[in-house]
């Protein structure tokens, strides 16, 4: 398979149209067989539920080329499960898990020429999504849906690759206490657009959201969970019902405990404690682990001892182990790697 002539090393996190995408339609209570198509556009009713009431959800995972030349994905079964959880919360039909996994394989195979080579620093981002497609004017769920999967080669989510980030504490909330923060609904990201643009305007890379009810506890950023490391080397991650259950975070906590032999804690994290941590990182499929160097709380700076030039020592160990597993350099825990080719 000849690869496309792409400057892999200089890719950012952007959209590039690839050759094929997977589509299945839901109508009269059933999903159609599904097919790979070339058309990257969608035509739907002007009154489609997705356009009027934001009935849409998505997932994000990546395909990697391993050291020995295979193409693999990382724990796609967990993306399938999370999309099921999300669909139920949004009154959308569930796209069956086996079919979700099959669709991922088909789309990656069909776009093999866009899977970045091993060692290029890039990966193929896979975006499954679903939306209510028929006309709905009263507030109710659609009866018809489309499930699609497209791919796009990507580089680092944050400009500057793994240079430590500067965050600010947001005055806006991302999710309500009993809302939709724990699912991957498009509406959560719509909520975060103003705060992220405003953060960038003010010179920050991302927002740290606090819990909406008390504004005392750390939640997450617009697109990643937090990991902290205490001065005595314990890896701590916030527990909350209104953050997305990140697959990367769950994997890293396992890596920390079972592979690196570190102490781990998933618990409520008070903002007040943040100044005492030694390291801080953002984790997610897109973010991998992006180190945080500084957090600005309304003009007051919290500077982590790990500094503004490099990843903290434990963050780096977690990063190397996770990416080592994903790229086939380190043996993966049972069931984590799905070989596509
Ligand atoms: N939090 C939010 C809000 C996200 O959008 C994402 C990305 O999917 C994550 C966390 C990280 O989740 P995962 O590791 O499953 O990609
Ligand atoms: C991901 O990491 O896959 C996400 O969906 C985050 C998004 C903000 C790009």
């Amino acid at each position: 398979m000849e690869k496309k002539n792409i400057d892999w090393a200089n890719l950012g996190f952007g959209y590039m149209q690839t050759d094929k995408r997977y589509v299945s339609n839901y109508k009269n209570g059933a999903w159609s067989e599904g097919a790979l198509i070339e058309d990257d556009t969608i035509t739907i009713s002007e009154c489609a539920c997705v356009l009027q009431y934001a009935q849409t959800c998505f997932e994000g995972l990546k395909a990697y080329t391993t050291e020995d030349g295979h193409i693999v994905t990382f724990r796609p079964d967990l993306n399938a499960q999370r999309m099921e959880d999300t669909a139920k919360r949004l009154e959308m039909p569930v796209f069956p898990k086996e079919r979700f996994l099959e669709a991922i394989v088909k789309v990656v195979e069909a776009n093999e020429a866009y899977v970045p080579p091993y060692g290029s620093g890039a990966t193929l981002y896979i975006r499954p999504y679903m939306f209510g497609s028929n006309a709905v004017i009263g507030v109710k769920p659609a009866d018809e849906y489309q499930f699609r999967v497209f791919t796009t080669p990507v580089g680092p989510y944050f400009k500057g690759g793994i240079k430590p980030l500067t965050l600010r504490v947001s005055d806006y909330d991302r999710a309500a206490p009993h809302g939709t923060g724990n699912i991957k609904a498009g509406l959560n990201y719509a909520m975060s657009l103003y705060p992220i643009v405003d953060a960038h305007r003010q010179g920050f890379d991302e927002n740290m959201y606090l819990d909406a009810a008390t504004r005392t506890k750390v939640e997450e950023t617009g697109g990643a969970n937090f990991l902290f490391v205490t001065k005595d080397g314990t890896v701590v991650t916030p527990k909350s019902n209104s953050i997305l259950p990140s697959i990367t975070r769950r994997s890293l906590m396992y890596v920390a405990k079972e592979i690196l032999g570190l102490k781990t804690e998933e618990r409520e994290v008070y903002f007040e404690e943040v100044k005492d941590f030694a390291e801080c990182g953002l984790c997610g499929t897109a973010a991998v682990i992006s180190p945080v160097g500084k957090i600005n709380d309304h003009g007051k700076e919290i500077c982590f001892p790990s500094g503004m030039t490099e990843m903290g020592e434990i963050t780096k160990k977690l990063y190397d182990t996770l990416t080592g597993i994903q790229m086939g350099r380190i043996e993966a825990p049972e069931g984590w790697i799905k070989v596509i080719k």
Side-chain angles (χ1 to χ4, degrees):
M1 159 67 56
E2 198 171 325
K3 293 285 176 189
K4 297 283 170 185
N5 184 20
I6 293 170
D7 183 7
W8 308 106
N10 290 310
L11 283 175
F13 196 86
Y15 172 76
M16 177 188 294
Q17 190 184 324
T18 56
D19 294 342
K20 298 274 174 71
R21 62 278 302 124
Y22 177 92
V23 184
S24 172
N25 292 302
Y26 183 88
K27 198 171 177 171
N28 300 323
W31 287 105
S32 69
E33 194 179 338
L36 289 170
I37 62 162
E38 283 175 14
D39 190 358
D40 63 317
T41 62
I42 296 170
T43 304
I44 46 173
S45 164
E46 63 186 351
C47 200
C49 196
V50 59
L51 299 179
Q52 303 308 322
Y53 303 126
Q55 196 188 21
T56 180
C57 65
F58 68 99
E59 270 302 324
L61 66 163
K62 284 172 170 174
Y64 309 84
T65 303
T66 59
E67 193 171 26
D68 60 359
H70 288 290
I71 296 175
V72 305
T73 54
F74 183 73
R75 311 188 78 179
D77 50 316
L78 298 187
N79 294 96
Q81 180 60 54
R82 194 169 61 189
M83 194 153 188
E84 175 173 332
D85 299 341
T86 301
K88 287 178 177 162
R89 175 67 174 81
L90 295 177
E91 285 294 339
M92 300 172 99
V94 170
F95 193 71
K97 266 184 254 172
E98 326 73 66
R99 291 199 54 196
F100 178 102
L101 296 173
E102 211 177 271
I104 301 294
V105 172
K106 282 190 176 150
V107 183
V108 174
E109 280 176 348
N111 294 296
E112 190 186 340
Y114 295 89
V115 183
Y118 175 77
S120 64
T123 52
L124 188 74
Y125 187 70
I126 307 166
R127 175 53 65 88
Y129 63 114
M130 194 201 292
F131 54 89
S133 54
N134 67 302
V136 163
I137 194 71
V139 178
K140 61 174 189 170
D143 307 303
E144 295 175 15
Y145 294 84
Q146 202 165 100
F147 170 86
R148 295 175 78 108
V149 185
F150 69 77
T151 59
T152 181
V154 296
Y157 187 65
F158 293 103
K159 280 192 220 88
I162 51 178
K163 225 179 109 275
L165 305 168
T166 302
L167 313 187
R168 68 146 184 206
V169 176
S170 176
D171 284 329
Y172 298 92
D173 296 322
R174 177 187 166 271
H178 303 284
T180 54
N182 61 340
I183 57 161
K184 217 159 161 55
L187 64 94
N188 294 337
Y189 299 82
M191 296 274 284
S192 74
L193 294 178
Y194 180 81
I196 188 67
V197 171
D198 189 53
H200 290 163
R201 257 195 304 262
Q202 315 283 337
F204 302 107
D205 297 302
E206 248 295 0
N207 290 293
M208 169 186 263
Y209 292 102
L210 301 181
D211 75 294
T214 70
R215 298 195 150 267
T216 57
K217 289 175 270 185
V218 176
E219 293 260 293
E220 60 176 329
T221 67
N225 283 180
F226 277 102
L227 282 184
F228 298 100
V229 182
T230 63
K231 287 184 178 137
D232 61 1
T234 301
V235 181
V236 180
T237 193
K239 188 181 173 82
S240 160
N241 292 331
S242 45
I243 64 175
L244 194 76
S246 159
I247 294 162
T248 314
R249 182 253 297 165
R250 284 180 267 164
S251 306
L252 285 168
M253 293 303 275
Y254 181 92
V255 164
K257 185 159 188 257
E258 306 297 336
I259 301 183
L260 301 177
L262 299 167
K263 230 180 109 199
T264 59
E265 289 174 2
E266 186 184 351
R267 59 164 172 86
E268 292 187 330
V269 173
Y270 284 87
F271 180 66
E272 193 45 39
E273 302 174 59
V274 171
K275 62 177 183 339
D276 300 322
F277 289 122
E279 300 176 30
C280 172
L282 304 182
C283 63
T285 299
V288 193
I289 310 183
S290 302
V292 175
K294 228 183 335 192
I295 299 175
N296 188 301
D297 174 25
H298 303 90
K300 223 168 65 194
E301 283 194 339
I302 296 173
C303 299
F304 295 102
S306 49
M308 290 305 291
T309 50
E310 275 171 57
M311 271 195 190
E313 189 191 326
I314 289 182
T315 307
K316 176 86 168 67
K317 275 191 195 156
L318 288 168
Y319 178 91
D320 287 344
T321 311
L322 180 73
T323 53
I325 289 170
Q326 291 167 335
M327 311 281 177
R329 294 185 296 266
I330 295 176
E331 194 185 339
E334 176 88 29
W336 280 23
I337 296 296
K338 182 173 171 62
V339 179
I340 291 188
K341 230 189 127 185

